[in-house]
Amino acid sequence: MSVETAPRRRRLEPDARRGQILACAVRLFGERPYADVSTTDVAREAGVARGLVNHYFGAKKDLYLEVVRVMVTIPEVALERLPKGDLRTRVDASVTWFLDVVSRHSTSWLAAVTARGMGGDADVERVLAEAEEVAADRMLVAVGLAGEAEHREELRGMVRAYGGLATSTAREWLQRGALTRAQVHLLLTTTLLTIVEQVIPQVLDVDGSARPAQPAEPPA
């Protein structure tokens, strides 16, 4: 969820060239259904030979899967950039980061989470499921619950459920226009705080032992 569109250049290092191609693919797959985008289109947009697209990403479907992955996976750098502070500060920063990213890449993110033109594809479903697992683990770090080993699976289940809410709520804002950004921010921050501070201790019946330490420090 952190692709930036790179300007075209004749000479780029391999990683930069790969990033440029991926950025163009993100944009094109966000604008058009899967069937309407070819690797030739991506190559033309990136200003490279089609063979270079295949070299870095393989076939068209492999490229598309990488686009979906980068659009829906929370990168580790997002955790590294969370501010020090108490739980509320970190939850607010986490939600702000999420809304910034999905709004910046709104068409591409919406296309990825809805798998436009690829609904039901097993490989796409696998990428989306992997992203859910990564998000669950990183959200537990963000709210100070990563060290809770005894009830880890229950915690991950609750966080995955919250992730589904976050996706649906963002779509209500970006796709349907039913909510404003401010309303989405309020809903997501309030819900996550309620889950961590009230729901988790009650559901697990552990007398608050799963409650995150205050203040929650960012990961080293």
Side-chain angles (χ1 to χ4, degrees), residues 100-194:
D100 284 348
V101 170
V102 300
S103 61
R104 186 181 309 127
H105 304 289
S106 59
T107 56
S108 300
W109 180 79
L110 287 167
V113 297
T114 58
R116 190 172 64 184
M118 292 288 284
D121 182 88
D123 291 323
V124 173
E125 293 299 323
R126 173 179 51 80
V127 170
L128 294 174
E130 289 172 353
E132 284 185 351
E133 298 304 320
V134 170
D137 288 336
R138 289 180 177 167
M139 184 59 70
L140 289 178
V141 173
V143 299
L145 288 171
E148 179 58 39
E150 182 179 357
H151 300 283
R152 183 169 180 79
E153 286 311 305
E154 295 105 310
L155 293 174
R156 293 178 84 254
M158 282 185 262
V159 173
R160 283 195 300 268
Y162 172 78
L165 171 68
T167 298
S168 297
T169 307
R171 289 182 65 186
E172 292 295 334
W173 166 39
L174 297 171
Q175 193 171 41
R176 298 186 177 93
L179 298 172
T180 66
R181 173 171 174 148
Q183 290 169 334
V184 172
H185 189 278
L186 177 62
L187 176 59
L188 294 182
T189 53
T190 303
T191 301
L192 185 53
L193 285 168
T194 300

Side-chain angles (χ1 to χ4, degrees), residues 59-126:
K60 170 184 166 180
K61 185 176 179 181
D62 298 315
L63 174 60
Y64 177 74
L65 291 174
E66 185 62 20
V67 166
V68 174
R69 182 178 293 108
V70 78
M71 282 290 98
V72 299
T73 302
I74 298 176
E76 189 170 357
V77 69
L79 284 179
E80 296 170 354
R81 292 176 180 175
L82 282 180
K84 294 182 179 180
D86 61 14
L87 176 64
R88 291 176 180 270
T89 298
R90 290 168 64 76
V91 165
D92 181 81
S94 297
V95 172
T96 296
W97 175 86
F98 171 69
L99 298 183
D100 284 348
V101 170
V102 300
S103 61
R104 186 181 309 127
H105 304 289
S106 59
T107 56
S108 300
W109 180 79
L110 287 167
V113 297
T114 58
R116 190 172 64 184
M118 292 288 284
D121 182 88
D123 291 323
V124 173
E125 293 299 323
R126 173 179 51 80

Side-chain angles (χ1 to χ4, degrees), residues 143-145 148 151 155 196 200-201 204 206-213:
V143 299
L145 288 171
E148 179 58 39
H151 300 283
L155 293 174
V196 175
I200 286 176
L204 300 184
V206 291
D207 298 324
S209 64
R211 192 183 300 271

